[in-house]
């Protein structure tokens, strides 16, 4: 399918038909704990206090794990969740104080295109994140192209979200120590024409 949700439902059918075990990509305690190790690595590798961490949100597994570590070990760090404007499932859920399933989402930022956040991830993110903001897809594309052209870094659309968010926090982060979690394995050169068009 074209979205995570399509893949999830296909997986459920496969598991049922062939008696297979499904390991949830974000709404699983062990997966959240595994994602939390990224927070530990960031803290171990950063000798100065971190003021802000910007992190993309899809289903919320990475944000839940990382924010839990920071809440415990670096409670003054502000964790900012970043979602695509066309897939704001965590932002909408937090604003409504309950999990909201979005009927329609865009799928350009496919690594964060989730109609419904996790039952486990939602309360953790709601409690730990200082804010959740949304980024238009055009800004995501601009960030991808800048990173590619200026720094020779290839990032996926979801991976560009954290860096794309910096402009919206320009005044707040001035002179601060900031970490952006960036990923890139879900992108290749064949998507560049679509990215340039957007």
């Amino acid at each position: 399918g074209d979205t995570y949700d399509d893949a999830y439902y296909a997986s459920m059918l496969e598991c049922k038909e062939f008696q297979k075990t499904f390991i949830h990509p974000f709404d699983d305690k062990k997966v959240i704990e595994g994602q939390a190790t990224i927070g530990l690595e960031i803290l171990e590798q950063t000798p100065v206090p971190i003021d802000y961490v910007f992190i993309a949100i899809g289903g919320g597994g990475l944000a839940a794990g990382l924010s839990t570590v920071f809440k415990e070990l670096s409670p003054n760090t502000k964790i900012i969740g970043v979602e695509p404007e066309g897939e704001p499932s965590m932002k909408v859920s937090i604003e409504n104080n309950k999990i909201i399933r979005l009927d329609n989402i865009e799928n350009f930022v496919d690594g964060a295109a989730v109609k419904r956040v996790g039952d486990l991830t939602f309360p953790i993110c709601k409690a730990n994140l200082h804010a959740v903001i949304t980024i238009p897809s055009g800004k995501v594309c601009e960030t991808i192209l800048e990173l590619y052209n200026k720094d020779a870094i290839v990032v996926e659309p979801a991976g560009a979200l954290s860096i794309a968010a910096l402009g919206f926090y320009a005044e707040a982060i001035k002179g601060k120590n900031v970490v952006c979690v960036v990923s890139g394995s879900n992108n290749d050169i064949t998507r560049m024409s679509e990215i340039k068009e957007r």
Side-chain angles (χ1 to χ4, degrees), residues 76-130:
N76 293 326
T77 302
K78 291 180 171 60
I79 310 297
I80 310 300
V82 189
E83 291 184 300
E85 201 171 68
E87 300 100 35
S89 52
M90 185 65 77
K91 183 174 176 51
V92 169
S93 295
I94 289 174
E95 288 172 351
N96 286 278
N97 204 30
K98 65 179 182 180
I99 296 174
I100 302 291
R101 185 181 192 281
L102 303 178
D103 292 327
N104 297 303
I105 59 171
E106 293 179 16
N107 65 356
F108 172 70
V109 184
D110 47 0
V114 175
K115 290 182 179 179
R116 184 185 188 281
V117 298
D119 293 325
L120 298 176
T121 62
F122 170 69
I124 298 169
C125 289
K126 184 176 179 297
N128 294 353
L129 298 178
H130 291 80

Side-chain angles (χ1 to χ4, degrees), residues 46-185:
T46 310
V48 295
I50 300 168
D51 299 302
Y52 285 86
V53 174
F54 289 83
I55 185 164
I57 299 178
L62 178 58
L66 183 139
S67 66
T68 299
V69 166
F70 271 84
K71 188 169 188 176
E72 183 71 26
L73 302 178
S74 184
N76 293 326
T77 302
K78 291 180 171 60
I79 310 297
I80 310 300
V82 189
E83 291 184 300
E85 201 171 68
E87 300 100 35
S89 52
M90 185 65 77
K91 183 174 176 51
V92 169
S93 295
I94 289 174
E95 288 172 351
N96 286 278
N97 204 30
K98 65 179 182 180
I99 296 174
I100 302 291
R101 185 181 192 281
L102 303 178
D103 292 327
N104 297 303
I105 59 171
E106 293 179 16
N107 65 356
F108 172 70
V109 184
D110 47 0
V114 175
K115 290 182 179 179
R116 184 185 188 281
V117 298
D119 293 325
L120 298 176
T121 62
F122 170 69
I124 298 169
C125 289
K126 184 176 179 297
N128 294 353
L129 298 178
H130 291 80
V132 178
I133 65 169
T134 59
I135 305 294
S137 62
K139 181 63 177 171
V140 172
C141 293
E142 181 184 319
T143 303
I144 292 169
L145 293 172
E146 281 181 13
L147 288 168
Y148 180 72
N149 291 324
K150 293 180 181 176
D151 302 302
I153 298 172
V154 178
V155 298
E156 65 185 16
L161 282 171
S162 62
I163 293 177
L166 294 179
F168 296 91
Y169 271 75
E171 286 303 311
I173 64 174
K174 197 176 286 184
K176 305 289 187 186
N177 296 315
V178 178
V179 172
C180 293
V181 178
V182 180
S183 58
S185 64

Side-chain angles (χ1 to χ4, degrees), residues 18-48:
F18 298 103
Q19 291 79 51
K20 295 190 176 191
T21 301
F22 179 73
I23 299 172
H24 205 287
F26 56 82
D27 205 28
D28 177 276
K29 184 179 176 186
K30 294 292 184 188
V31 170
I32 294 169
E33 289 173 359
Q35 302 266 15
T37 63
I38 295 172
L40 292 174
E41 289 178 27
I42 290 169
L43 290 168
E44 287 170 4
Q45 294 174 22
T46 310
V48 295

